[in-house]
Amino acid sequence: MTTLSNFAKNLAMESGIGRLMDDLGHSIRQADQIMLGGGNPAAIPAVQACFQERLQELASDGSRLGRLLGDYDPPQGNVEFLTAISDLLRKQFKWPVGPENVALTQGSQSAFFALFNIYGGTYSGGQKKRILFPLAPEYIGYCDMGLESGLFTANRPQIDHLDEHIFKYRVDFEHLQLDDSIGAICVSRPTNPTGNVLTDQEVSHLSRLAAERGIPLMLDNAYGMPFPGVVFTEARPIYDDHVIVCMSLSKLGLPATRTGIVVANPQVIRMISHVNAVINLAPSGVGAAIALDLVRSGRILDLSRDVIRPYYLERQQFAVDCLHRTMKGLNYRIHKPEGAFFLWLWLPDLSITTLELYQRLKQRGVIVVPGEYFFPGMDEPWDHKHQCLRINYAQPADKVEKGFQRIADEIKACC
Ligand code: PLP
């Protein structure tokens, strides 16, 4: 094979996220596969009706539709939407933000790509800096984003056993390796894959540590407040001059529009806009156009609080009950499901790795995501990395039930 660049080695090869999206994109269209793998949001009828109504309005207005589909937005994103988002955040949370504090990206995934490579990598003085994930496991999609290798480092969690079957990860501040080699800290809250919601104290502590060192704290708010608001505990959203909050319209139900929203100080926003211009010219305005009136009117908050959150809470309660029923007699634990729409299943007695279990489950027609992929920046050996599975419970009840039964049967066969 031709020799290729380091960029090709890091980004153009098969990756965990690539395999996951491939499985997701194919199996979601196969009736016989039970898709408990990807991060696809549920199809919630009331939410979809809202989008349909908005699309019909847009389609019936020729000149607006012409502008939406026929014109490039500025690299920072659609100006009306930037204003609407900053107004909403100012009113809702009293954050001191205006349109100069917001940029759109092609999904929040591409915002992280830009941010990780802005704050991690080789600096002008030659020093290499890394992005610290203070609470592994973390989102699979972060894994392969480095333009340079060794971009990430991660901290093992403290594990609190809340009862026989429920545990919770907490940031182990005592062992946090926060030295000069760290260019930024990043956490997802709610956390993908575990459904953990970092406590207000943990987030404040991380924010203080970042501020003291003059580095940013990135908060990945893909499932968080105020939208889509899939948070089942009390959690105060935070923002500050050194905090970068990344939001998305995906989990609201618009993943195909690829709309990420970065809220940060104007210097960061300018950098994101420059990256947008180079890589995409401009971010797509389709998601922004669909969501604009929902954001302006504040209906997006009602939709999140009254429809989306209760929907996922009901799915979560069903999934937990179903798991306890199907796993009876097995040694299993789950992370306390406090947000997002995943169960993080820990199987301490598993005699094979979860990568192997994933392959076997695929043969049985169930797609899950093996735990191994959720430890970006953690190369050290740790059995726990091979003992966990992420299960998406956003699918209809019959699929979840059938999927869990097959998972339990396979685990019984290999424990
Ligand atoms: N962050 C987290 C925690 C996610 O789970 C996802 C998608 O699943 C993303 C970011 C990226 O989402 P998108 O690029 O669709 O906004």
Side-chain angles (χ1 to χ4, degrees):
M1 193 183 152
T2 340
T3 318
L4 295 169
S5 68
N6 285 341
F7 176 92
K9 246 193 313 190
N10 290 336
L11 272 102
M13 298 294 146
E14 194 176 68
S15 64
I17 190 70
R19 220 167 302 150
L20 168 73
M21 290 311 292
D22 209 43
D23 273 347
L24 172 64
H26 287 112
S27 60
I28 211 155
R29 288 168 182 83
Q30 285 172 20
D32 56 333
Q33 286 277 12
I34 299 178
M35 183 57 188
L36 308 180
N40 217 75
I44 306 176
V47 178
Q48 291 191 317
C50 221
F51 299 148
Q52 189 179 1
E53 198 183 297
R54 180 70 188 139
L55 279 166
Q56 277 161 351
E57 260 171 48
L58 285 167
S60 66
D61 180 341
S63 75
R64 282 199 80 170
L65 188 69
R67 285 200 305 279
L68 168 62
L69 299 179
D71 293 343
Y72 288 112
D73 276 327
Q76 191 182 338
N78 178 274
V79 178
E80 287 175 299
F81 192 69
L82 303 179
T83 306
I85 286 284
S86 54
D87 287 350
L88 182 93
L89 295 172
R90 221 175 32 250
K91 277 192 212 130
Q92 185 68 13
F93 300 137
K94 312 252 175 322
W95 289 358
V97 293
E100 68 283 7
N101 295 96
V102 186
L104 303 190
T105 56
Q106 289 299 103
S108 56
Q109 187 74 14
S110 74
F112 286 104
F113 176 69
L115 291 166
F116 289 161
N117 289 293
I118 286 171
Y119 292 104
T122 309
Y123 278 50
S124 49
Q127 193 188 2
K128 273 190 184 273
K129 298 230 181 201
R130 295 172 300 166
I131 307 297
L132 170 67
F133 302 121
L135 186 62
E138 252 302 357
Y139 171 46
I140 182 174
Y142 298 153
C143 290
D144 302 286
M145 284 202 191
L147 286 174
E148 293 180 28
S149 50
L151 198 74
F152 303 117
T153 178
N155 206 48
R156 269 196 206 196
Q158 182 188 311
I159 302 179
D160 284 5
H161 293 274
L162 305 183
D163 70 27
E164 189 192 348
H165 292 300
I166 309 280
F167 68 100
K168 180 171 165 69
Y169 294 129
R170 295 186 194 276
V171 180
D172 183 355
F173 284 100
E174 220 178 290
H175 295 102
L176 206 58
Q177 301 268 323
L178 194 47
D179 54 31
D180 275 357
S181 75
I182 303 302
I185 303 174
C186 176
V187 278
S188 57
R189 185 197 199 218
T191 307
N192 177 357
T194 57
N196 194 4
V197 174
L198 271 81
T199 62
D200 291 347
Q201 288 81 353
E202 284 174 311
V203 178
S204 303
H205 195 160
L206 289 173
S207 171
R208 210 170 48 246
L209 291 174
E212 279 166 14
R213 280 159 183 77
I215 59 173
L217 169 64
M218 300 173 199
L219 291 175
D220 182 345
N221 200 28
Y223 304 83
M225 305 299 286
F227 58 82
V230 191
V231 177
F232 313 129
T233 56
E234 284 300 313
R236 189 171 54 85
I238 75 154
Y239 176 73
D240 209 327
D241 207 45
H242 66 286
V243 173
I244 303 173
V245 180
C246 294
M247 298 162 52
S248 170
L249 294 185
S250 293
K251 312 304 168 178
L252 192 74
L254 293 171
T257 68
R258 310 306 302 126
T259 314
I261 303 163
V262 180
V263 184
N265 72 53
Q267 190 200 357
V268 173
I269 296 303
R270 280 194 296 276
M271 290 194 286
I272 293 287
S273 307
H274 295 323
V275 175
N276 273 345
V278 172
I279 295 183
N280 296 307
L281 302 183
S284 162
V286 174
I290 296 172
L292 179 65
D293 283 355
L294 290 174
V295 174
R296 264 191 187 149
S297 64
R299 248 180 89 205
I300 200 164
L301 306 177
D302 306 333
L303 206 59
S304 300
R305 188 190 53 236
D306 301 337
V307 179
I308 297 174
R309 180 186 177 279
Y311 180 92
Y312 285 113
L313 182 58
E314 195 268 326
R315 307 286 339 118
Q316 182 247 81
Q317 287 163 344
F318 174 81
V320 172
D321 282 355
C322 188
L323 188 86
H324 289 319
R325 252 185 291 120
T326 49
M327 298 277 159
K328 215 173 171 108
L330 290 168
N331 185 11
Y332 68 93
R333 287 162 213 170
I334 50 167
H335 192 283
K336 188 177 178 211
E338 298 177 310
F341 35 73
F342 307 109
L343 290 187
W344 180 246
L345 178 64
W346 177 13
L347 302 160
D349 296 340
L350 198 66
S351 60
I352 55 174
T353 65
T354 46
L355 261 170
E356 291 170 274
L357 180 60
Y358 155 78
Q359 290 296 352
R360 291 196 193 196
L361 288 170
K362 207 166 153 183
Q363 299 303 316
R364 280 193 190 240
V366 188
I367 306 288
V368 294
V369 190
E372 281 88 347
Y373 289 134
F374 294 96
F375 293 85
M378 189 182 281
D379 298 330
E380 71 200 53
W382 185 23
D383 287 348
H384 191 66
K385 292 204 281 192
H386 308 286
Q387 297 172 341
C388 300
L389 278 185
R390 191 194 74 177
I391 305 173
N392 178 327
Y393 57 73
Q395 298 301 308
D398 59 323
K399 293 216 164 179
V400 170
E401 176 117 40
K402 223 190 258 177
F404 280 14
Q405 194 54 61
R406 290 186 197 172
I407 294 170
D409 291 347
E410 191 58 50
I411 293 168
K412 276 176 201 151
C414 54
C415 264

